[in-house]
Amino acid sequence: MRNPMEMTQSGILHWSLRPSTADSAPSRPRSGSRAGAPRAAGERPPVPSASGAAGALALGATAGEALAGQAPSRGAEPLRPQRIELPSYLNTPVRRPDGEPLSDQEHTVALKKVQDLELLTQACRRASKGKDEGRAHFSLGVLRDNLGQYQKAIESYNQFLRVCKECNDAQGCGLAYHCIGVDYQLLAGGGVGGAGGGRPGSACRGHGGESGEVKPELLRKAISFHNKHREGADSVGKFVAHLNSGLAYALLGEKEASTVNHQYALRYALQLHSLEGQSLAIGSLGFSRGMYDHDAGKMSVLIERYVELCGALKQPRNQASALQRLGALAGQRGDNEQSASYFQQAMEHAREHGDLETELDCSVQLGVAKGQAGMEDYLGEILERAIVHGRGWA
């Protein structure tokens, strides 16, 4: 694959295709496809069909509803597994960002809806209403995700997958694979952050595994389901599957596989003319463990492009975190003045938008960078005096 920074960038600010579940079809991941490479160039995705009973869930989603859980000032965050959102007219529960706590009232309402849907699934099963049963199982999965009950959500999505298979609904199967893969990734401790390179705002606060430890066996399962989702998906689905797989590989410490998947995600984002997708792919390349970890120059180019994208998308909080990352990279290169400049910009961005935590972090890092820059000047003066005094004494 070509260097991602050599590709043409897009100026269009939205997704151009519906979510991949509209075109998803179940299939086994290719043997030996460790990094999740896409289909051969020119191979066309399958034509969507509305004939499947539960597949009605997956059809008709609009471009702007492709990803779930985006904050207004931040947008979709790197290092966070991305979910495909369904259109509101399908009347499935609204999906909340993973890890966002429910209020007491919301929690009570969600539990009541879960009880109602459990009864509904049984009634639909007895009445052989496959489409309604599938929608109820899927809605149960979303509610359990909102409650943070990811293992129970997987059970619901598996039931949804069963119904889709009974109805020969390829689109619904793709949606099920996607949801199961993300939940395994969250259970594995791959919720947000743990990938290593830096911190895009609050995206470093993990909420996946209860112990905070990464569970490799669950990450492997997640990658397997992402591959199944990807195999029959359209360009948006391939983008999401590669992005999530890249994050999982990063947590496993497989840097090459992580980087390749993120590069493919960037490729599909470029094909879709999506700045949001490009920001996610480039942000993931720049903030997670990958092949560029020890190349501060290449990493700086990636993060600089990410800063530009965040500015175009009006995501100041992500932009502040990216500037903070650039400051750290400049410090690694020994350019303390440039490092201080980046930390100053990041601190100002954070202050303007009320991000107190990032502002405090940047103020500390700014002080360190200025201290190091001043230390260089101080040591230079001492050396100069020593040379002058040495010559005078001689």
Side-chain angles (χ1 to χ4, degrees):
M1 178 150 182
R2 291 183 298 165
N3 186 319
M5 302 315 298
E6 295 175 356
M7 297 181 181
T8 304
Q9 302 293 340
S10 166
I12 301 177
L13 292 171
H14 58 78
W15 293 96
S16 62
L17 296 176
R18 61 182 173 272
S20 62
T21 49
D23 288 342
S24 298
S27 60
R28 296 179 182 176
R30 296 177 187 172
S31 59
S33 179
R34 182 176 171 189
R39 295 174 182 269
E43 184 175 349
R44 300 180 64 182
V47 178
S49 169
S51 60
L57 278 171
L59 296 176
T62 60
E65 294 172 310
L67 296 178
Q70 300 181 13
S73 66
R74 183 181 297 285
E77 300 178 11
L79 307 188
R80 180 190 294 275
Q82 298 301 313
R83 290 189 185 268
I84 290 174
E85 184 61 283
L86 296 180
S88 57
Y89 64 78
L90 290 174
N91 295 322
T92 56
V94 175
R95 185 182 291 283
R96 298 173 67 94
D98 291 308
E100 181 179 293
L102 300 175
S103 66
D104 291 341
Q105 181 178 359
E106 290 171 333
H107 190 271
T108 301
V109 171
L111 289 177
K112 178 64 170 60
K113 288 181 178 179
V114 166
Q115 293 175 352
D116 293 342
L117 285 168
E118 286 174 341
L119 293 174
L120 180 60
T121 58
Q122 297 172 16
C124 291
R125 184 67 173 168
R126 288 194 298 269
S128 298
K129 294 182 178 180
K131 176 180 175 180
D132 292 334
E133 183 189 355
R135 180 179 281 114
H137 281 304
F138 180 82
S139 297
L140 269 173
V142 175
L143 287 173
R144 284 168 170 163
D145 283 337
N146 291 346
L147 290 164
Q149 300 172 352
Y150 298 122
Q151 188 60 58
K152 290 185 177 180
I154 289 173
E155 295 171 7
S156 295
Y157 292 131
N158 274 320
Q159 290 299 316
F160 174 60
L161 178 61
R162 172 187 57 78
V163 173
C164 291
K165 288 181 176 180
E166 290 174 357
C167 299
N168 296 318
D169 180 2
Q171 293 80 32
C173 287
L175 176 59
Y177 291 139
H178 163 72
C179 294
I180 294 170
V182 172
D183 281 352
Y184 271 126
Q185 198 160 345
L186 294 170
L187 284 173
V192 290
R199 157 177 118 75
S202 62
C204 270
R205 300 173 206 124
H207 54 73
E210 294 180 1
S211 66
E213 297 179 0
V214 173
K215 301 174 182 177
E217 68 282 1
L218 295 183
L219 286 174
R220 296 287 179 193
K221 284 186 178 182
I223 291 169
S224 174
F225 280 100
H226 292 322
N227 284 339
K228 289 180 180 181
H229 171 215
R230 172 184 56 79
E231 284 291 330
D234 65 5
S235 294
V236 176
K238 291 182 189 296
F239 164 79
V240 174
H242 278 301
L243 192 73
N244 290 341
S245 293
L247 295 176
Y249 277 121
L251 286 166
L252 288 169
E254 299 185 22
K255 295 184 178 182
E256 183 176 358
S258 174
T259 300
V260 168
N261 272 277
H262 286 144
Q263 286 177 335
Y264 274 118
L266 178 56
R267 169 182 168 178
Y268 287 114
L270 291 164
Q271 290 178 1
L272 292 165
H273 306 294
S274 169
L275 284 184
E276 184 79 16
Q278 292 173 45
S279 73
L280 279 168
I282 292 175
S284 296
L285 275 169
F287 285 94
S288 65
R289 294 193 186 110
M291 295 165 61
Y292 306 139
D293 277 359
H294 303 294
D295 191 331
K298 286 184 179 179
M299 188 69 76
S300 294
V301 173
L302 285 170
I303 302 298
E304 285 168 2
R305 176 57 184 160
Y306 180 64
V307 170
E308 294 173 5
L309 290 167
C310 290
L313 292 166
K314 301 188 186 308
Q315 297 173 359
R317 297 182 68 191
N318 280 348
Q319 196 170 18
S321 298
L323 288 166
Q324 188 177 5
R325 175 78 167 131
L326 283 173
L329 290 169
Q332 291 177 20
R333 297 194 305 269
D335 191 345
N336 293 310
E337 291 185 2
Q338 184 66 62
S339 176
S341 175
Y342 281 130
F343 286 132
Q344 182 69 44
Q345 294 176 58
M347 187 172 67
E348 291 171 357
H349 271 76
R351 181 182 299 135
E352 288 174 6
H353 298 90
D355 190 347
L356 180 60
E357 182 179 356
T358 300
E359 181 185 354
L360 290 174
D361 285 349
C362 291
S363 65
V364 172
Q365 292 170 311
L366 175 61
V368 172
K370 285 186 174 181
Q372 290 176 335
M375 180 62 69
E376 290 179 0
D377 294 338
Y378 177 68
L379 292 176
E381 291 178 5
I382 291 178
L383 181 60
E384 183 178 352
R385 290 175 185 172
I387 292 174
V388 171
H389 291 167
R391 285 178 178 175
W393 178 80

